[in-house]
Amino acid sequence: MASSRPESRRSERVDLALALALAAALMGVLWSLCAPRWETNDDVAMSMIVHGYGIAAPGAAPQLMFSNLLWGYLARSIPTVGGLLGYSSATIAAIFLACAGLLYGLRRLGIDAWTSLAAAALVFARPILFPQFTLNAGLLTIAALALWLAFAVDGRRWLLAAAALLAFASFLIRSQEFMLVLAVALPLLSWRMLRAGAARLAIVVVMCAIGAAVWIDEASYRVEAWQPFNALNPARARLTDFHAGDSLREHPEIAARHGYSLNDVELVEQWFFVDPKIADPARLKALLADASERPARDRFHVGASMQALGHGALLMLVLVAVLGTVLWPSRRMLLAWAVFLAAIVAIGFFGRPGIIRVYLPAVGLLAIAPMLRGVRLQGVRGRVFSMALALAMVANAVQVLDESRAARTADAAARSQIAGFPTDPVVIWGVGFPFEAVYRVFGASQEAMHYQLYGLGVSTLAPFSVASAEERRGRGMVARLLSTEGVPLLATDKSLRLLGAYCREHHRSELQRVDREAEPGAQPPHYRCAVQ
């Protein structure tokens, strides 16, 4: 026994070094082929909030709305190095630790290095090239589970500590995704581990840490400055996120009864919260309460939720997950599938179907579940699964790289089109401004860091926003829209049509583009409600 312990420790150190090296190599190889790009503008916005630029004024607390306040402070504490902001560094660190954690867990569970790498590449290729905070939260949960299961094999307590830290970080980044992936994983876990006092202690510590983080986060929003946001948020979420407007379009008399036109409803759906007469929490609450009594035909988007499993970003993962279940069927595996399918049906039921970034970590967990369950990839079944895993990894990587190259070309064109953009506040509505192209993961230009963006979105009424600051100065969007000079505005054609109807219905005027003297650079057009 005395001689086996040093050998075990050497093996442990080798596996850890190998996991760290493979994770770094995987990220380095992919980034050498294509630079990472934020998948959505949500991370761009949260980076702006953390560091006080773009849509956010500097100096405010990093209240990220989607992520916990503690995660915002952690990202802010990381110094900027070579243009790489702390939020980007925190994102990269989360991806790296999740990938390394999964690789190490698989190695300790007896999976060879090449198969472990293929599994990690299949699950992580898209998040590495298209990072997104929801994806990161789910991946950290997977890594925490792999380390938890590795602890069940060799009993190393540091694995419990590492699993606890990764699980807590996952919760801070996106609590809903943490809980979804955990729910799918629960049937796969061996509860015999709870006989160990250290395992029970780790669970209690994580739960206490989560409780404290929730209390701190919620307390930060219970201040007077956040009351306008807090009052509107529940009602706006039903319209912007959960398609409550479908019922109102089927029954326009409901909207009319509450003094709303269908254009008003669509304005709120499109994040137009700058007119308090329309974005009135009390009126919207009454309107939606009336509408909820009449279900819309398309309210329950269950079919779309299921169809999303065939999306290109998920297809290879789904195929590997199905194959693993067929090759090694068990009640635990079927129950995990049942939990996942029930979750996505429920998401569709409440109006949020087909959110690929929500599904991907859970599908990734199902794809590697046989390995996490301790299946030895031997014999015919093992060879079939290993070959399928390798083929799926290659096919998925090719697709992700193709998407990344296409995005790189489009982003370069978008950046050239806004060269010379002004540093005065400009209203940004919808996809009128290329956030992901301008504010890259590895850093934006110095000019872009000075843009002031009056964003129409979830953060419009947040006290840290440029929009709120402009409103306090008497330079809100509506005030400038009614002025002679107009308001500088980047918006889609659809948004402009909605704004034109708004001018007619609420100000008895027509939307007019204001002609201005030619200025250098990409100057945004000005619009006003002009009385004819």
Side-chain angles (χ1 to χ4, degrees):
M1 294 294 292
S3 62
S4 65
R5 181 169 294 180
E7 182 179 346
S8 175
R9 288 178 177 172
R10 281 195 299 272
S11 174
E12 183 181 338
R13 289 194 293 269
V14 168
D15 284 342
L16 180 58
L18 183 63
L20 294 172
L22 289 177
L26 178 60
M27 297 175 73
V29 167
L30 289 173
W31 286 346
S32 70
L33 297 173
C34 290
R37 178 190 192 271
W38 297 115
E39 190 199 48
T40 68
N41 61 19
D42 292 333
D43 282 281
V44 178
M46 289 195 288
S47 179
M48 290 175 170
I49 295 166
V50 166
H51 300 290
Y53 67 96
I55 66 168
Q63 293 165 285
L64 302 179
M65 298 173 288
F66 299 131
S67 295
N68 192 277
L69 177 69
L70 298 182
W71 181 250
Y73 274 117
L74 176 63
R76 178 177 287 182
S77 70
I78 301 173
T80 299
V81 179
L84 185 68
L85 296 173
Y87 185 88
S88 293
S89 297
T91 296
I92 292 169
I95 296 171
F96 174 74
L97 291 175
C99 188
L102 175 60
L103 284 164
Y104 183 77
L106 291 176
R107 288 292 296 132
R108 301 308 294 173
L109 291 169
I111 306 301
D112 67 85
W114 290 112
T115 304
S116 298
L117 179 59
L122 174 62
V123 175
F124 279 83
R126 181 169 295 277
I128 288 172
L129 286 176
F130 294 97
Q132 205 273 344
F133 73 105
T134 300
L135 288 173
N136 297 344
L139 297 173
L140 284 167
T141 307
I142 294 174
L145 294 166
L147 295 177
W148 174 276
L149 291 168
F151 166 78
V153 172
D154 61 20
R156 301 290 187 186
R157 292 190 177 183
W158 75 267
L159 290 171
L160 276 181
L165 285 173
L166 294 184
F168 183 55
S170 170
F171 181 88
L172 293 182
I173 295 172
R174 188 58 162 169
S175 59
Q176 296 91 334
E177 187 68 10
F178 165 77
M179 291 185 285
L180 170 63
V181 177
L182 181 61
V184 175
L186 286 178
L188 304 174
L189 300 178
S190 172
W191 296 105
R192 288 177 297 178
M193 294 173 56
L194 295 181
R195 296 174 186 172
R200 294 196 297 271
L201 177 62
I203 292 174
V204 170
V205 169
V206 171
M207 292 177 65
C208 290
I210 286 174
V214 169
W215 185 86
I216 292 170
D217 186 65
E218 291 183 350
S220 73
Y221 293 93
R222 290 195 297 266
V223 296
E224 185 177 352
W226 277 93
Q227 289 314 301
F229 175 93
N230 294 337
L232 179 65
N233 203 47
R236 77 87 195 152
R238 289 186 58 190
L239 286 164
T240 59
D241 297 348
F242 295 103
H243 303 281
D246 293 348
S247 180
L248 294 168
R249 276 181 282 276
E250 289 186 7
H251 302 281
E253 71 279 3
I254 298 177
R257 188 158 59 240
H258 291 270
Y260 281 95
S261 69
L262 292 183
N263 191 76
D264 293 336
V265 171
E266 194 165 0
L267 281 169
V268 178
E269 288 179 313
Q270 298 300 318
W271 311 92
F272 186 86
F273 309 147
V274 292
D275 188 335
K277 295 178 182 178
I278 295 176
D280 182 322
R283 289 179 64 208
L284 285 174
K285 182 178 179 181
L287 169 67
L288 294 171
D290 197 353
S292 66
E293 299 175 1
R294 304 172 184 240
R297 285 192 304 269
D298 297 329
R299 183 177 176 183
F300 309 130
H301 304 265
V302 174
S305 295
M306 302 302 292
Q307 290 172 9
L309 295 179
H311 189 280
L314 297 178
L315 184 58
M316 292 298 108
L317 288 163
V318 171
L319 292 177
V320 172
V322 170
L323 178 63
T325 304
V326 171
L327 291 175
W328 295 284
S330 71
R331 283 179 295 181
R332 287 179 177 273
M333 195 67 200
L334 293 175
L335 184 56
W337 269 104
V339 171
F340 170 63
L341 294 175
I344 66 172
V345 166
I347 293 171
F349 184 88
F350 289 107
R352 295 297 305 275
I355 309 176
I356 303 303
R357 58 184 175 273
V358 173
Y359 300 172
L360 191 147
V363 177
L365 173 63
L366 293 171
I368 64 173
M371 292 178 281
L372 294 177
R373 290 171 54 216
V375 169
R376 299 291 180 179
L377 302 181
Q378 299 172 346
V380 175
R381 289 188 297 179
R383 287 194 293 272
V384 169
F385 184 80
S386 296
M387 183 177 296
L389 181 64
L391 292 174
M393 179 269 294
V394 172
N396 184 66
V398 169
Q399 177 180 329
V400 174
L401 285 168
D402 285 344
E403 290 181 32
S404 185
R405 292 188 186 101
R408 179 176 59 188
T409 301
D411 287 352
R415 286 191 295 271
S416 67
Q417 290 175 359
I418 65 163
F421 196 78
T423 56
D424 294 329
V426 176
V427 176
I428 308 296
W429 192 359
V431 294
F433 185 86
F435 284 93
E436 299 93 330
V438 174
Y439 297 100
R440 290 169 283 180
V441 177
F442 288 156
S445 67
Q446 285 300 311
E447 292 79 11
M449 296 300 291
H450 294 291
Y451 298 161
Q452 296 185 64
L453 307 178
Y454 185 129
L456 299 193
V458 67
S459 65
T460 300
L461 299 184
F464 59 70
S465 70
V466 170
S468 291
E470 287 293 283
E471 191 69 39
R472 290 191 293 270
R473 298 188 189 104
R475 292 171 51 83
M477 178 179 176
V478 173
R480 296 192 67 181
L481 191 64
L482 300 177
S483 69
T484 302
E485 68 172 7
V487 60
L489 170 64
L490 286 182
T492 62
D493 291 341
K494 177 182 178 180
S495 297
L496 292 175
R497 287 195 296 271
L498 293 173
L499 191 60
Y502 166 81
C503 289
R504 290 190 296 273
E505 293 176 0
H506 291 272
H507 301 290
R508 298 181 181 180
S509 57
E510 294 293 328
L511 184 66
Q512 181 184 80
R513 180 166 175 165
V514 180
D515 293 326
R516 298 168 60 86
E517 294 183 6
E519 298 180 59
Q523 300 299 317
H526 284 58
Y527 294 92
R528 69 183 182 120
C529 292
V531 178
Q532 300 298 308

